Amino acid sequence: MTAVTVWNNCLSFVKDNIQLQAYKTWFEPIIPIKLQDNILSVQVPSKFFYEWLEEHYVKLLKVALTKELGKDAKLVYIIRMENKFGSDSSFTEKIPSEYKPKIKSQNLDASSNFSKVNLTNPFIIPGIKNLKIDSQLNLNYNFENFLEGDSNRLARSASYAVSKRPGGTSFNPLLIFGGVGLGKTHLANAIGINVKQAFPEKTVLYISAEKFTQQYVDSVKKNNRNDFIHFYQLIDVLIIDDVQFFSGKSGTQDVFFHIFNHLHQNGKQVVLTSDKAPVDMQEIEQRLLSRFKWGLSAELQTPDYETRISIIKNKLARDGVEMEDDIIYYVAKHIKTNIRELEGAIISLMAQSSFNKKQITIDLAKVIVEKFVKNTKKEISIDQIQKVVSDYFQMDVNTLQSKTRKRHIVQARQLAMFFSKKFTKASLASIGTKIGHRDHATVLHACKTVDNLAFTDKQFRKYVDDLDKRFTD
Ligand code: ADP
Ligand code: MG
């Protein structure tokens, strides 16, 4: 009897008793190392792994091992230690794996010991439930209720193709990009839903870039960065929503880079969404951007009038509400750039009419649409602000951003910073970066200066008022 034969026998027993996916995830990576007397030593990839086995499979292992080695069987885990995080970004293959001697041995005979082991999973991802990873998908966001139009045809069909052959098309990664409320999250979920239907054995995970970042930061705090990486490397279809959130976060980008490479090399599918095309992404490392471009970047554009009408009609049909065509056309005509707002307006209309027991009239539609359209206008970008201010002072944006200290240019720049603070949610630092690479203190100073000058200088007050009008009209 050798370690290998004993372990192989155990494995076939285990395999018969648990789901295939769980078997592949948790048992295939285990390597039998040695057998001495009744003690079998096996190597597991990480501490997390060992704890997971202890928590979920210790009884099963006990039965299997007792069958092979008798009542006095013992199991020893050897944990492969990887070196500490942070020192080097290339942690995977290059690091000499140092084998630490056993950290835990369990007497398999003393069953009371097992219940005493009260292990807490150091790596709690809300997604994990009894080994089955909850995919975190929103089932309402499926292909059936994603309406096709010219604005989304490419993105939709690429997504569909990916969902039929995850990892098997050249669309890997698939990057879906486009403005707010145009259906990125919807399509990304639709891919996941279809994959799960067609390939129930595949592990699918949808996660926002923001949540991914939080988990990563937590893992660093708790000293289990490698477990974090390991977890993500087990996923077959990884969907990360809003990757622009990774901007400026180099640690997260680094860890994602490694996870991405691993998945890609192993033929796993990666789906990403972003509010901009890769060329326009800022503060994302070059090596990551170049990988984003490996597969397909598909844009979701603003829907045309016909598509907007069908989206509204589809929504009404699903909710069993009737609405006159005139009203539908009116809403579709006026809300153009954001499908979420299009739906929002329809929902408000339905709510208003049912609360107030009023007919949905065109006048009511006008009032509601106006509210939405006004709100939309406020969502102006820093780039647009710079453009408006430059136009107003008849200079180009490069001049406005330049390092010059000429007074009228400095003032224009300060006004651009002031309005960016006023009309966007951007931080002082990111406003500074966008307006000629200044720091946050410069932006703060600009805002104060504009406040003061508007108070003391009549001419300047007029600039502020004129510009304000241009932004709010
Ligand atoms: P994004 O992630 O791009 O900001 P979402 O995917 O959240 O946008 O979409 C906003 C809303 O619009 C969602 O309720 C979604 O279901 C809906 N939506 C977007 N595109 C379509 C479409 N082509 N057909 C039907 N509904 C859509
Ligand atoms: Mg979204």
Side-chain angles (χ1 to χ4, degrees), residues 166-336:
T169 67
S170 53
F171 309 150
N172 198 12
L174 173 64
L175 174 75
I176 303 166
F177 70 94
V180 182
L182 293 182
K184 301 181 295 293
T185 300
H186 188 140
L187 260 188
N189 276 277
I191 295 173
I193 293 169
N194 262 23
V195 170
K196 287 199 64 167
Q197 272 166 5
F199 310 94
E201 78 288 356
K202 285 203 192 293
T203 314
V204 177
L205 184 68
Y206 165 90
I207 186 151
S208 68
E210 187 173 2
K211 203 158 162 193
F212 180 91
T213 304
Q214 278 166 13
Q215 288 178 352
Y216 166 68
V217 171
D218 283 351
S219 82
V220 171
K221 266 192 214 141
K222 292 187 190 145
N223 224 331
N224 51 22
R225 180 183 188 266
N226 286 332
D227 293 339
F228 173 85
I229 293 168
H230 190 84
F231 171 80
Y232 275 96
Q233 288 178 341
L234 297 171
I235 309 288
D236 295 312
V237 178
L238 178 61
I239 304 167
I240 303 201
D241 203 0
D242 290 320
V243 291
Q244 75 276 2
F245 190 83
F246 289 162
S247 287
K249 302 187 174 67
S250 57
T252 312
Q253 287 181 32
D254 185 49
V255 85
F256 176 66
F257 179 75
H258 290 297
I259 291 168
F260 178 90
N261 286 343
H262 181 96
L263 294 178
H264 198 270
Q265 273 161 21
N266 289 284
K268 306 299 176 64
Q269 179 71 44
V270 178
V271 176
L272 308 168
T273 79
S274 164
D275 68 355
K276 343 183 164 41
V279 281
D280 298 322
M281 290 186 198
Q282 291 183 345
E283 295 183 70
I284 300 264
E285 283 176 50
Q286 208 47 49
R287 56 179 186 163
L288 210 51
L289 282 182
S290 83
R291 272 159 182 76
F292 289 175
K293 294 179 205 154
W294 276 359
L296 176 74
S297 302
E299 182 171 9
L300 285 174
Q301 289 161 336
T302 48
D304 51 45
Y305 181 58
E306 279 72 32
T307 312
R308 298 201 295 276
I309 290 176
S310 25
I311 289 173
I312 297 177
K313 289 196 166 163
N314 181 267
K315 166 123 197 81
L316 292 170
R318 270 188 287 142
D319 294 340
V321 174
E322 283 183 16
M323 204 177 276
E324 276 171 42
D325 277 355
D326 281 357
I327 295 170
I328 297 176
Y329 299 155
Y330 182 84
V331 176
K333 194 164 168 215
H334 288 89
I335 301 185
K336 297 179 215 161

Side-chain angles (χ1 to χ4, degrees), residues 1-9 32-35 40-42:
M1 273 203 300
T2 66
V4 175
T5 54
V6 169
W7 183 242
N8 282 343
N9 291 343
I33 300 290
K34 71 171 186 207
L35 180 68
L40 176 69
S41 305
V42 295

